[in-house]
Amino acid sequence: MTHSKHLTFIAAARPNFMKIAPLVRACMKSDSVSFTLIHTGQHYDKNMSDTFFEQLSIPQPDLNLNIGGGSHATQTGNTMIAFESYLQENKTDCVIVVGDVNATLACALTAKKQHIPVAHIESGLRSFDRSMPEEINRLATDAISDFLYTPSPDADIQLKKEGVTDDKICCIGNVMIDTLFNNLDAADQSNILNTINQSPGSYALLTLHRPSNVDDKATLEGILRGLEHVAKELPIVFPLHPRTKKQIESFGLEDAFNTHNKGTANFIVLEPVGYLEMLKLTKNANIILTDSGGLQEETTVLGVPCLTLRPNTERPITITEGSNILVGTDTEAIITNFDKYKNTKSSRKPDLWDGHAADRFLSDILTRLD
Ligand code: UD1
């Protein structure tokens, strides 16, 4: 018999919102659960945050901790302090954190020290690259979480290798893909292709924001030289992340990334776009070049070739069972792989990436908390 339970969900940065949306929706349909949604405020611009709440019909957060930007210690520490005072005043049966951003770790740590059970959604992913802040967040969050919800069986295997016992692990599939399936029809209605004067297959789509790519001038210039080859064949649509914008400006590379600049590059640079616009751009791209984690998964489900501009991925299933190709940041590798994979399509998809991961989460967590 399931009794009414209270869950506290944490959302902080753009990629969290797509993961939180189906979880919250599943709770809203259930009589057995009530919930609180907390936004830590790590991402705060309208086009990095509010737009996603509106487009994905996520209810307004019950509380915004307004943490904002800053160093890792600043963000993590301020989140912990603010969340600790919240938890001291407000009872909950479980704190649910998603993904691998600073708030994921900060809120998991805070809840555990208050003896509150923690569930981690998207558990078990590993890049094995401890220079990535997200890898530290993933390792530390999984080490202290009580319930580890994985997107695919390779993550279960990894957790077991790290000594996690079977009873803590539950493979539910991919909550981000729940959101993708929920929004495909609405995304099809978006006008973004008309606005930028493109048609299905006519462009490459680029996103870049990893510190390892955009905070290092030589790496960014190496990527840029590869992109100049791509741009001779296809215009490159480039929604610009705030971190990347700042870095391009500080390196004086604005001209190189501008549309039709000096007859070499052919970039269509956009402000960060909403979820629906991005989904339409992704679905209809000829090929994608990215260092994002989520896009590796979304392109897999959509069958669009994805050149991942990183030396590693925490999502290897998108390579073995999807359309992802690990390219790195070397200019020649970008050129060769672009020539090989442009105009290709794939139709493979991992099991349980089927739009029902959040329902599986809710029925499992309610059994565990009962
Ligand atoms: C964070 C996550 C990363 C995720 C990414 C998606 C961590 C360690 N990193 O990185 O895993 O892939 O979000 O975007 O948690 N900024 C704005 N407006 C905003 C948000 C940020 O101007 O709405 C600025 C910040 O002030 C900062 C820069 O962008 O200067 C980077 O933001 P930050 O939250 O530190 O990290 P991300 O690079 O976005």
Side-chain angles (χ1 to χ4, degrees), residues 295-312:
L295 269 174
Q296 296 172 44
E297 300 179 336
E298 290 161 342
T299 48
T300 276
V301 170
L302 296 167
V304 178
C306 175
L307 306 186
T308 293
L309 307 182
R310 289 174 41 192
N312 50 52

Side-chain angles (χ1 to χ4, degrees), residues 2 7 9 18-33 96 121 149-150 170-179 181-182 352-368:
T2 305
L7 307 180
F9 290 97
M18 297 74 125
K19 297 169 195 171
I20 285 293
L23 298 169
V24 164
R25 185 171 311 109
C27 290
M28 288 163 79
K29 286 187 304 192
S30 166
D31 294 332
S32 314
V33 73
I96 292 98
I121 310 274
Y149 290 99
T150 61
C170 179
C171 186
I172 53 168
N174 193 322
V175 287
M176 197 169 218
I177 301 306
D178 289 11
T179 294
F181 284 129
N182 267 323
L352 302 183
W353 292 24
D354 58 0
H356 302 293
D359 292 336
R360 286 188 282 267
F361 158 76
L362 191 59
S363 60
D364 184 86
I365 193 92
L366 289 176
T367 324
R368 287 173 192 266

Side-chain angles (χ1 to χ4, degrees), residues 13-15 42-49 68-70 72 75 100-103 133-134 137 209-211 241-243 246 293:
R14 187 170 61 175
Q42 178 174 342
H43 283 180
Y44 44 85
D45 287 346
K46 181 168 172 37
N47 59 16
M48 296 292 286
S49 179
H72 288 273
Q75 284 184 343
D100 55 19
V101 303
N102 287 336
E134 293 83 2
N137 293 340
H209 78 283
R210 294 276 159 218
H241 187 283
R243 171 189 288 282
K246 282 184 194 170

